[in-house]
Amino acid sequence: MSYKFDLISDLHIDFWVKVNEPLHKAEKKLSNFVKGLLPSTPSKILVIAGDLGHYNQQNLLMLKCFKEVYEYVILTWGNHDLYLDGSRSRKKYIRSINRWNEMKELISSLSGVFVLDGETITVDNVTFGGTGMWYDYQYGIQVLNMTREEVHTYWEDNFSDFKYIKGGQPRFADELVKFENLMVSPLDVLITHVTPDWTPLIGTYKDERDIAIYSFDGASFIDRVNFKVCCFGHTHVHHDYVKQGCRFVNNALGYPDQGKGRKIRTIVIPS
Ligand SMILES: [Fe+2]
Protein backbone atom coordinates (compact mmCIF):
# COMPACT_ATOMS: atom_id res chain seq x y z
CA MET A 1 0.00 0.00 0.00
CA SER A 2 1.38 3.42 -0.90
CA TYR A 3 1.45 6.27 1.58
CA LYS A 4 1.50 10.02 1.07
CA PHE A 5 2.55 13.21 2.79
CA ASP A 6 2.64 16.87 1.81
CA LEU A 7 5.85 18.86 1.38
CA ILE A 8 6.97 22.48 1.48
CA SER A 9 10.13 24.28 2.63
CA ASP A 10 11.62 27.75 2.75
CA LEU A 11 8.36 29.43 3.67
CA HIS A 12 10.09 32.65 4.77
CA ILE A 13 6.74 33.70 6.14
CA ASP A 14 7.81 37.20 7.18
CA PHE A 15 8.50 38.02 3.52
CA TRP A 16 4.89 37.12 2.66
CA VAL A 17 2.93 38.40 5.66
CA LYS A 18 3.81 41.55 7.56
CA VAL A 19 4.96 41.02 11.13
CA ASN A 20 3.73 42.96 14.15
CA GLU A 21 0.12 43.15 13.04
CA PRO A 22 -2.56 43.07 15.76
CA LEU A 23 -3.23 39.43 16.62
CA HIS A 24 -6.62 39.12 14.91
CA LYS A 25 -5.25 40.64 11.69
CA ALA A 26 -2.14 38.46 11.78
CA GLU A 27 -4.23 35.32 12.31
CA LYS A 28 -6.49 36.18 9.38
CA LYS A 29 -3.60 36.97 7.05
CA LEU A 30 -1.66 33.85 8.00
CA SER A 31 -4.75 31.72 7.62
CA ASN A 32 -5.33 33.09 4.11
CA PHE A 33 -1.67 32.57 3.27
CA VAL A 34 -1.81 28.95 4.40
CA LYS A 35 -5.08 28.33 2.53
CA GLY A 36 -3.47 29.65 -0.64
CA LEU A 37 -0.70 27.04 -0.37
CA LEU A 38 -2.88 23.98 0.16
CA PRO A 39 -3.29 21.27 -2.44
CA SER A 40 -6.85 20.32 -3.35
CA THR A 41 -6.77 17.29 -1.03
CA PRO A 42 -4.25 17.78 1.78
CA SER A 43 -2.61 14.66 3.23
CA LYS A 44 -2.57 13.79 6.91
CA ILE A 45 1.07 14.90 7.32
CA LEU A 46 2.87 18.09 6.29
CA VAL A 47 6.67 18.07 6.10
CA ILE A 48 8.50 21.42 6.28
CA ALA A 49 12.17 21.11 5.31
CA GLY A 50 13.43 24.22 7.11
CA ASP A 51 13.25 28.03 6.96
CA LEU A 52 9.96 28.92 8.60
CA GLY A 53 10.65 32.61 9.07
CA HIS A 54 12.54 35.15 11.13
CA TYR A 55 10.06 35.68 13.98
CA ASN A 56 9.06 32.93 16.39
CA GLN A 57 5.60 34.22 17.33
CA GLN A 58 4.67 34.59 13.68
CA ASN A 59 6.06 31.12 12.93
CA LEU A 60 3.94 29.75 15.76
CA LEU A 61 0.76 31.33 14.41
CA MET A 62 1.53 29.95 10.95
CA LEU A 63 2.09 26.44 12.36
CA LYS A 64 -1.25 26.70 14.19
CA CYS A 65 -2.91 27.44 10.84
CA PHE A 66 -1.22 24.40 9.28
CA LYS A 67 -2.35 22.33 12.25
CA GLU A 68 -5.97 23.17 11.51
CA VAL A 69 -5.53 21.27 8.25
CA TYR A 70 -2.90 18.64 9.05
CA GLU A 71 -2.98 16.03 11.78
CA TYR A 72 0.82 16.04 11.90
CA VAL A 73 3.39 18.68 10.97
CA ILE A 74 6.99 17.43 10.89
CA LEU A 75 9.77 19.94 10.43
CA THR A 76 13.46 20.55 10.67
CA TRP A 77 15.42 23.78 10.96
CA GLY A 78 16.95 25.88 8.21
CA ASN A 79 19.64 28.54 8.37
CA HIS A 80 17.03 31.33 8.48
CA ASP A 81 15.49 29.82 11.60
CA LEU A 82 18.67 30.95 13.34
CA TYR A 83 18.65 34.53 12.05
CA LEU A 84 18.39 37.36 14.54
CA ASP A 85 16.74 39.98 12.38
CA GLY A 86 16.64 43.46 13.88
CA SER A 87 18.00 44.98 17.06
CA ARG A 88 15.03 43.82 19.14
CA SER A 89 15.69 40.22 18.19
CA ARG A 90 19.42 40.54 18.80
CA LYS A 91 18.80 42.09 22.21
CA LYS A 92 16.25 39.47 23.20
CA TYR A 93 18.11 36.34 22.15
CA ILE A 94 21.80 37.42 22.06
CA ARG A 95 22.66 34.05 20.53
CA SER A 96 20.82 32.43 17.61
CA ILE A 97 20.56 29.12 19.40
CA ASN A 98 18.41 30.81 22.06
CA ARG A 99 15.89 31.81 19.41
CA TRP A 100 15.77 28.30 17.98
CA ASN A 101 15.41 26.77 21.46
CA GLU A 102 12.52 29.14 22.13
CA MET A 103 10.93 28.10 18.82
CA LYS A 104 11.22 24.44 19.80
CA GLU A 105 9.69 25.24 23.18
CA LEU A 106 6.78 27.07 21.55
CA ILE A 107 6.27 24.18 19.13
CA SER A 108 6.18 21.69 22.00
CA SER A 109 2.89 23.33 23.06
CA LEU A 110 1.30 22.27 19.75
CA SER A 111 0.15 18.68 19.74
CA GLY A 112 1.03 16.85 16.55
CA VAL A 113 3.87 19.21 15.55
CA PHE A 114 7.32 17.62 15.74
CA VAL A 115 10.77 19.10 15.28
CA LEU A 116 13.38 16.67 13.97
CA ASP A 117 16.81 17.72 15.17
CA GLY A 118 18.42 14.35 14.58
CA GLU A 119 15.35 12.43 15.77
CA THR A 120 12.88 10.18 13.99
CA ILE A 121 9.12 9.87 14.24
CA THR A 122 6.90 7.09 12.99
CA VAL A 123 3.35 7.78 11.84
CA ASP A 124 1.23 4.91 10.47
CA ASN A 125 4.33 2.71 10.01
CA VAL A 126 6.16 5.41 8.00
CA THR A 127 9.33 6.67 9.68
CA PHE A 128 10.55 10.23 9.11
CA GLY A 129 14.00 11.32 10.26
CA GLY A 130 15.62 14.69 9.88
CA THR A 131 18.10 17.35 10.80
CA GLY A 132 18.87 20.75 9.30
CA MET A 133 22.45 20.00 8.19
CA TRP A 134 25.05 22.59 7.34
CA TYR A 135 27.66 23.26 4.65
CA ASP A 136 30.95 21.42 4.34
CA TYR A 137 32.20 23.57 1.42
CA GLN A 138 33.12 20.35 -0.39
CA TYR A 139 31.74 21.33 -3.79
CA GLY A 140 34.12 24.27 -3.76
CA ILE A 141 37.02 22.18 -2.49
CA GLN A 142 36.55 19.03 -4.59
CA VAL A 143 35.07 20.42 -7.79
CA LEU A 144 36.22 24.03 -8.00
CA ASN A 145 39.67 23.43 -6.46
CA MET A 146 39.14 26.17 -3.91
CA THR A 147 40.68 26.10 -0.47
CA ARG A 148 38.42 25.84 2.56
CA GLU A 149 39.39 29.41 3.46
CA GLU A 150 38.43 30.67 0.00
CA VAL A 151 34.96 29.08 0.22
CA HIS A 152 34.55 30.40 3.74
CA THR A 153 35.41 33.93 2.62
CA TYR A 154 32.98 33.60 -0.29
CA TRP A 155 30.23 32.53 2.14
CA GLU A 156 31.02 35.40 4.52
CA ASP A 157 30.95 37.95 1.71
CA ASN A 158 27.93 36.70 -0.22
CA PHE A 159 25.50 35.06 2.20
CA SER A 160 23.50 36.60 5.02
CA ASP A 161 24.24 33.79 7.49
CA PHE A 162 27.42 35.44 8.68
CA LYS A 163 25.60 38.70 9.46
CA TYR A 164 22.41 37.32 11.01
CA ILE A 165 23.51 34.18 12.86
CA LYS A 166 24.92 35.28 16.20
CA GLY A 167 26.89 33.53 18.92
CA GLY A 168 28.55 30.98 16.67
CA GLN A 169 27.60 29.33 13.40
CA PRO A 170 26.27 25.76 13.39
CA ARG A 171 29.09 23.22 13.10
CA PHE A 172 28.97 20.85 10.17
CA ALA A 173 30.62 18.12 12.27
CA ASP A 174 27.77 18.26 14.80
CA GLU A 175 25.16 17.93 12.09
CA LEU A 176 27.10 15.10 10.46
CA VAL A 177 26.90 13.04 13.66
CA LYS A 178 23.09 13.36 13.61
CA PHE A 179 23.00 12.64 9.88
CA GLU A 180 25.16 9.51 10.24
CA ASN A 181 22.90 8.22 13.00
CA LEU A 182 19.88 8.77 10.79
CA MET A 183 21.57 6.92 7.93
CA VAL A 184 21.82 3.76 10.03
CA SER A 185 18.24 4.10 11.29
CA PRO A 186 15.36 2.37 9.56
CA LEU A 187 13.93 5.37 7.71
CA ASP A 188 11.36 5.86 5.00
CA VAL A 189 11.75 9.61 4.60
CA LEU A 190 14.82 11.76 5.28
CA ILE A 191 14.34 15.50 5.78
CA THR A 192 17.27 17.92 5.63
CA HIS A 193 17.37 21.61 4.83
CA VAL A 194 20.68 21.33 2.98
CA THR A 195 20.84 18.64 0.30
CA PRO A 196 23.40 15.81 0.45
CA ASP A 197 23.46 15.69 -3.36
CA TRP A 198 24.93 18.60 -5.29
CA THR A 199 24.62 17.08 -8.76
CA PRO A 200 21.22 18.59 -9.66
CA LEU A 201 22.37 22.02 -8.52
CA ILE A 202 25.02 22.20 -11.21
CA GLY A 203 23.93 24.76 -13.77
CA THR A 204 21.25 26.33 -11.57
CA TYR A 205 23.39 29.15 -10.17
CA LYS A 206 25.10 32.01 -12.00
CA ASP A 207 28.07 31.63 -9.69
CA GLU A 208 28.99 27.99 -9.26
CA ARG A 209 30.59 28.73 -5.88
CA ASP A 210 27.05 29.02 -4.48
CA ILE A 211 26.70 25.23 -4.75
CA ALA A 212 29.34 24.90 -2.01
CA ILE A 213 26.87 26.68 0.30
CA TYR A 214 23.72 24.95 -0.94
CA SER A 215 24.87 21.36 -0.47
CA PHE A 216 27.17 19.05 1.42
CA ASP A 217 29.04 15.99 0.23
CA GLY A 218 26.66 13.12 0.90
CA ALA A 219 27.86 10.93 -1.98
CA SER A 220 29.05 8.11 0.27
CA PHE A 221 25.66 8.09 2.01
CA ILE A 222 23.69 8.19 -1.19
CA ASP A 223 25.61 5.11 -2.40
CA ARG A 224 24.08 3.11 0.44
CA VAL A 225 20.78 4.95 0.73
CA ASN A 226 18.13 2.77 2.30
CA PHE A 227 15.15 5.10 2.46
CA LYS A 228 12.53 5.96 -0.11
CA VAL A 229 12.33 9.76 -0.15
CA CYS A 230 14.79 12.54 0.67
CA CYS A 231 13.21 15.98 1.15
CA PHE A 232 15.38 19.05 1.12
CA GLY A 233 15.17 22.83 0.88
CA HIS A 234 17.60 25.77 1.14
CA THR A 235 17.91 26.17 -2.61
CA HIS A 236 14.71 27.70 -3.91
CA VAL A 237 15.02 25.85 -7.21
CA HIS A 238 12.65 22.90 -7.40
CA HIS A 239 13.98 19.38 -7.92
CA ASP A 240 12.38 15.97 -8.21
CA TYR A 241 14.47 13.00 -9.36
CA VAL A 242 15.40 9.45 -8.40
CA LYS A 243 18.90 8.33 -7.45
CA GLN A 244 19.88 4.92 -6.06
CA GLY A 245 16.17 4.15 -5.82
CA CYS A 246 15.52 7.18 -3.60
CA ARG A 247 13.33 10.07 -4.70
CA PHE A 248 14.92 13.46 -3.96
CA VAL A 249 12.42 16.31 -3.79
CA ASN A 250 12.71 20.02 -3.21
CA ASN A 251 9.46 21.97 -3.06
CA ALA A 252 10.63 25.32 -1.72
CA LEU A 253 8.23 28.23 -1.61
CA GLY A 254 10.96 30.86 -1.53
CA TYR A 255 10.55 34.64 -1.55
CA PRO A 256 7.55 36.39 -3.12
CA ASP A 257 9.46 37.13 -6.34
CA GLN A 258 10.11 33.40 -6.75
CA GLY A 259 7.20 31.66 -5.06
CA LYS A 260 4.04 33.19 -6.55
CA GLY A 261 1.74 30.36 -7.62
CA ARG A 262 3.79 27.70 -5.85
CA LYS A 263 1.90 25.34 -3.59
CA ILE A 264 2.40 22.50 -1.14
CA ARG A 265 2.97 19.27 -3.05
CA THR A 266 1.76 15.80 -2.23
CA ILE A 267 4.48 13.14 -2.32
CA VAL A 268 3.46 9.52 -2.64
CA ILE A 269 5.77 6.99 -1.00
CA PRO A 270 5.80 3.79 -3.05
CA SER A 271 5.18 0.61 -1.11
FE1 LIG B 1 17.91 28.11 3.77
Side-chain angles (χ1 to χ4, degrees):
M1 206 186 87
S2 62
Y3 192 82
K4 62 180 186 157
F5 66 92
D6 286 359
L7 174 66
I8 191 88
S9 69
D10 303 84
L11 286 149
H12 297 290
I13 181 65
D14 48 307
F15 282 79
W16 292 86
V17 178
K18 235 171 83 182
V19 282
N20 299 329
E21 299 259 31
L23 188 63
H24 69 283
K25 264 196 180 176
E27 283 172 337
K28 180 95 190 128
K29 285 187 174 177
L30 289 164
S31 168
N32 287 339
F33 172 78
V34 162
K35 278 181 196 151
L37 292 178
L38 296 176
S40 51
T41 313
S43 308
K44 187 172 172 181
I45 300 171
L46 175 67
V47 167
I48 305 175
D51 281 0
L52 296 170
H54 291 155
Y55 303 97
N56 286 355
Q57 288 300 332
Q58 191 187 35
N59 291 347
L60 183 70
L61 288 177
M62 174 179 70
L63 290 172
K64 282 182 179 170
C65 293
F66 280 127
K67 239 344 234 101
E68 282 173 19
V69 179
Y70 292 96
E71 203 171 322
Y72 297 95
V73 177
I74 301 170
L75 62 96
T76 190
W77 63 274
N79 53 328
H80 282 262
D81 298 316
L82 298 174
Y83 280 23
L84 301 187
D85 189 12
S87 57
R88 198 186 286 182
S89 185
R90 286 195 291 277
K91 202 171 163 192
K92 178 176 178 188
Y93 299 111
I94 314 285
R95 303 180 69 224
S96 287
I97 194 64
N98 295 332
R99 187 187 147 219
W100 177 239
N101 285 338
E102 181 195 77
M103 192 68 242
K104 287 203 283 190
E105 186 66 33
L106 291 169
I107 288 171
S108 70
S109 70
L110 301 176
S111 76
V113 184
F114 299 96
V115 176
L116 301 182
D117 214 343
E119 297 89 359
T120 64
I121 180 169
T122 302
V123 180
D124 295 342
N125 288 324
V126 176
T127 302
F128 298 80
T131 191
M133 287 311 296
W134 197 246
Y135 333 125
D136 61 359
Y137 301 162
Q138 284 300 317
Y139 186 83
I141 295 165
Q142 291 179 34
V143 181
L144 303 177
N145 295 316
M146 296 169 75
T147 64
R148 179 173 296 279
E149 291 67 34
E150 282 168 342
V151 185
H152 186 81
T153 302
Y154 180 74
W155 166 76
E156 271 188 15
D157 292 347
N158 295 279
F159 287 80
S160 305
D161 297 344
F162 186 64
K163 186 174 165 199
Y164 289 103
I165 298 178
K166 300 290 180 189
Q169 300 290 328
R171 288 184 55 229
F172 178 77
D174 295 338
E175 286 302 300
L176 188 61
V177 170
K178 297 181 214 169
F179 186 80
E180 282 176 336
N181 284 334
L182 289 172
M183 293 303 289
V184 294
S185 305
L187 284 190
D188 296 293
V189 181
L190 175 73
I191 308 160
T192 59
H193 185 58
V194 183
T195 179
D197 182 20
W198 61 53
T199 49
L201 273 53
I202 296 167
T204 63
Y205 288 99
K206 265 191 215 142
D207 193 320
E208 215 179 340
R209 290 175 292 183
D210 287 1
I211 299 172
I213 315 300
Y214 280 100
S215 65
F216 67 93
D217 180 9
S220 65
F221 302 109
I222 295 165
D223 283 346
R224 53 190 166 93
V225 70
N226 59 1
F227 42 84
K228 293 165 184 161
V229 184
C230 174
C231 307
F232 65 99
H234 197 36
T235 175
H236 295 173
V237 180
H238 286 179
H239 296 279
D240 189 351
Y241 61 97
V242 176
K243 198 168 192 174
Q244 296 289 112
C246 177
R247 183 175 173 191
F248 288 74
V249 195
N250 171 306
N251 187 43
L253 178 67
Y255 301 118
D257 61 337
Q258 306 161 315
K260 275 217 172 77
R262 289 183 175 182
K263 281 181 176 282
I264 290 169
R265 276 187 69 193
T266 299
I267 308 297
V268 177
I269 306 172
S271 49

